[in-house]
Amino acid sequence: MADPNAVTNQAPPLQGVNFFTSDTGLGDALRPYADLSADPGLTEIGELAGTQEALSHALPANQNSPALRTHDRYGNRIDEVEFHPSWHWLMEKAVGFGLQAAPWTSERPAPHLTRAAGFYVWSQVEPGHGCPISMTYAAVPALKADADLAAEWVPGLSSTAYDPRRLRSADKAGVLAGMGMTEKQGGSDVRANLTTATPSGSGTEYLLNGHKWFCSAPQVDVFLVLAQAPEGLTCFVVPRVLADGNRNTFALQRLKDKLGNRSNASSEVEFHNTIGYRLGDEGAGVRTIIEMVAATRLDCVLGSAALMRRALVEATWHTSYRSAFGGLLRDKPAMQNVLADLALESEAATALSMRLAAAVDASIAGDEQAAAFRRIALPLAKFWVCKRTSFTVAEALECLGGNGYVEESGLPLLFRESPLNSIWEGSGTVNALDVLRALRRPESLEAWLTEVGLARGADHRLDAAVTDVLEALSDLENAEAGARRLAARMAVCLQASLLVRHSTPDVADAFVASRLAGDWAGVLGTLPRTTPFGPILDRIL
């Protein structure tokens, strides 16, 4: 007689899987732009990401939330945030892998594509610590608006040494960056900001007074902040510690009790004659910081693709070991349909995110076509991929049933985190409207047409979808109400074009049939019965 208390029919711990080399969809997404299949750095990241050591840090980092310390024992204002050791372990590895600003100073080929692949793989371990990593990456292109400030900060930002000490930047092995843009009354409408910046009479130094409703990663060393200078909204560099070693005024009011991960700290901050250094011209704040926004939007897409991939891996791993109704779940046709559909969503997100990263490398090298493509494809991808993440992660969680609803499985963390990237750096509607703005520049539409046109003739259903998009663009002046519908269709056409060209015929055909041709019931797991599930599932792990 079987022991009723014995633990049986459970999947073993997910370990011993290289998150890079086992990801066939990622390999296909990278191959057209660079040969990274045997890249030692990415292989190392993937190997560590799949160890029990790495995965064991995700839960403790989120079970032990950061703590705000506004004063020391003597009553001195310190405004510090304390983190669990697992947070520091994750950060040390991410910085050591060069996933923050290292690509901006790298001389290797395709540095931003390589970094994107690494960020995507490593984010599958724990998503929260990606915030300061992403902010640091994104700060560098904005800092290039001032050669002196760039010379002061970029070497530390691009260092692969993690140094959490509160010191002036000159005394640190590496520094990290954050940003403060949104305020209580404005949100995404940053031109409504009320924080003021008054020239101190010393060069580019200003005194800032006001607040920020969301200040990302308040524990880092320097922030890019928007404030109203005499000539209008302006961007400023605000260090936590000044050049003389004294702390800048940076009054942390509280840490946000937010949806999503619990490992990272988001805060509200007040400025009281806080010293900031003007970055770019007065009145050019949005134009100056827009490159930081663009870089963080890329990481939103990468982070969302990573959440999809990790959820897919968890669902596949569990169903490959869990038996029910007389056999393994993975062998059941209904479950195969679900897993294959999840795989299509994940591969399409990965393909588009890596295409965007390749466009960063090309545009930095002076490719105007790549720059135009990035301008239109980035808000498209940010809108669509991030919007699809909650939908995808929820279905993957359901594959684990009650096991997936338990915190220890890691799926609840992924689910809570899944809406974040759709909200951050402009919500879905903001990005859809950015697509309309980009389309008013002829080179943007031409770049989109050129990219999807590379697959012209390969699938008549994709060709028909592109024609539908062109018809919808006939009246851009009155297109706002349909902006989200248009952005969705354009994004899926991009994904389909990439899969048709670079993935397998099985994947491409199933994606086009369901996402463009309508042979789909709108929820995951409703692919046509004739879909070759086996070959699609074999690509997952």
Side-chain angles (χ1 to χ4, degrees):
M1 182 176 178
D3 181 358
N5 294 315
V7 177
T8 61
N9 198 25
Q10 291 285 343
L14 174 57
Q15 58 187 350
V17 176
N18 188 305
F19 279 22
F20 173 65
T21 59
S22 67
D23 192 338
T24 306
L26 175 59
D28 287 349
L30 293 169
R31 193 171 299 110
Y33 319 111
D35 182 8
L36 298 174
S37 58
D39 183 86
L42 293 175
T43 301
E44 180 185 1
I45 294 172
E47 183 175 357
L48 181 59
T51 63
Q52 191 57 36
E53 178 188 14
L55 300 178
S56 69
H57 283 288
L59 279 177
N62 282 276
Q63 290 169 335
N64 299 273
S65 300
L68 174 61
R69 302 285 182 248
T70 56
H71 297 77
D72 67 12
R73 60 178 291 194
Y74 305 105
N76 298 304
R77 187 99 196 193
I78 56 174
D79 296 295
E80 292 291 351
V81 183
E82 294 181 359
F83 290 85
H84 188 267
S86 285
W87 166 272
H88 293 295
W89 186 92
L90 292 162
M91 287 293 298
E92 182 179 16
K93 298 301 181 184
V95 173
F97 289 137
L99 302 182
Q100 24 58 277
W104 298 106
T105 58
S106 174
E107 296 183 357
R108 65 164 294 162
H112 294 275
L113 178 65
T114 306
R115 180 262 175 190
F119 184 84
Y120 160 89
V121 171
W122 188 247
S123 293
Q124 294 173 48
V125 176
E126 194 282 323
H129 76 290
C131 176
I133 298 299
S134 179
M135 295 293 104
T136 303
Y137 172 71
V140 173
L143 283 167
K144 291 182 179 180
D146 186 297
D148 291 338
L149 287 171
E152 178 182 355
W153 288 103
V154 171
L157 294 169
S158 59
S159 168
T160 54
Y162 174 59
D163 188 346
R165 297 175 298 167
R166 180 66 66 225
L167 300 171
R168 61 178 187 162
S169 61
D171 296 330
K172 296 191 64 173
V175 297
L176 298 171
M179 72 157 65
M181 294 176 63
T182 61
E183 298 185 0
K184 298 183 183 80
Q185 74 289 338
S188 295
D189 185 9
V190 294
R191 295 189 186 278
N193 281 4
L194 299 177
T195 298
T196 62
T198 305
S200 69
S202 177
T204 61
E205 183 181 293
Y206 288 64
L207 300 179
L208 276 58
N209 286 278
H211 79 280
K212 292 298 171 185
W213 174 245
F214 257 107
C215 178
S216 304
Q219 72 278 9
V220 300
D221 303 282
V222 63
F223 296 84
L224 268 60
V225 172
L226 291 177
Q228 298 287 357
E231 296 300 320
L233 193 66
T234 305
C235 188
F236 294 91
V237 173
V238 178
R240 286 296 306 273
V241 178
L242 302 171
D244 61 7
N246 290 316
R247 290 172 179 252
N248 205 358
T249 305
F250 202 84
L252 296 178
Q253 301 304 102
R254 61 173 174 167
L255 301 184
K256 294 290 190 182
D257 186 10
K258 55 180 173 49
L259 177 68
N261 71 80
R262 295 285 172 167
S263 64
N264 187 39
S266 295
S267 68
E268 291 178 42
V269 62
E270 286 188 357
F271 303 131
H272 303 280
N273 286 334
T274 301
I275 293 175
Y277 300 92
R278 177 168 50 80
L279 180 64
D281 297 331
E282 278 197 15
V286 172
R287 187 169 69 247
T288 301
I289 209 169
I290 198 66
E291 282 299 318
M292 185 175 194
V293 172
T296 49
R297 282 184 173 181
L298 171 60
D299 277 6
C300 286
V301 179
L302 290 166
S304 290
L307 289 173
M308 289 188 195
R309 171 64 186 177
R310 178 62 194 279
L312 169 66
V313 168
E314 291 287 352
T316 304
W317 186 266
H318 177 84
T319 57
S320 295
Y321 291 94
R322 181 81 161 183
S323 293
F325 309 111
L328 286 175
L329 286 173
R330 179 175 168 165
D331 294 335
K332 304 296 184 182
M335 181 59 75
Q336 288 182 336
N337 198 320
V338 173
L339 293 173
D341 221 351
L342 287 169
L344 295 181
E345 200 69 44
S346 174
E347 286 205 32
T350 302
L352 184 50
S353 64
M354 295 306 147
R355 176 66 186 92
L356 282 168
V360 174
D361 282 317
S363 59
I364 290 173
D367 187 331
E368 294 183 3
Q369 170 75 15
F373 173 76
R374 180 171 169 244
R375 192 175 300 117
I376 183 70
L378 190 53
L380 282 173
K382 169 71 165 65
F383 169 77
W384 184 247
V385 172
C386 299
K387 190 68 68 184
R388 300 291 292 175
T389 308
S390 298
F391 178 70
T392 303
V393 173
E395 194 66 59
L397 184 155
E398 194 170 326
C399 292
L400 277 71
N403 288 295
Y405 214 68
V406 176
E407 288 289 343
E408 287 177 315
S409 73
L411 269 297
L413 169 60
L414 299 184
F415 184 65
R416 288 195 306 273
E417 188 75 358
S418 62
L420 168 68
N421 291 318
S422 191
I423 296 170
W424 206 249
E425 295 306 348
S427 63
T429 297
V430 169
N431 277 270
L433 294 175
D434 282 350
V435 170
L436 293 185
R437 278 188 282 273
L439 285 170
R440 292 188 173 94
R441 304 176 64 163
E443 65 272 20
S444 295
L445 176 57
E446 183 62 32
W448 181 83
L449 285 171
T450 298
E451 184 70 24
V452 297
L454 294 173
R456 185 171 180 81
D459 192 303
H460 67 91
R461 298 163 298 183
L462 173 56
D463 293 344
V466 173
T467 300
D468 289 344
V469 168
L470 292 177
E471 292 177 358
L473 291 173
S474 60
D475 186 15
L476 273 182
E477 295 305 315
N478 299 295
E480 182 172 325
R484 289 163 71 103
R485 183 182 181 92
L486 176 64
R489 196 65 167 174
M490 292 181 71
V492 175
C493 284
L494 264 182
Q495 290 181 319
S497 172
L498 290 165
L499 293 178
V500 165
R501 287 181 282 144
H502 306 311
S503 189
T504 65
D506 291 331
V507 168
D509 181 72
F511 185 86
V512 173
S514 54
R515 273 64 171 180
L516 289 179
D519 196 354
W520 201 45
V523 295
L524 292 162
T526 58
L527 293 171
R529 287 184 298 171
T530 55
T531 302
F533 301 128
I536 296 175
L537 298 185
D538 289 343
R539 292 169 54 81
I540 299 173
L541 284 173

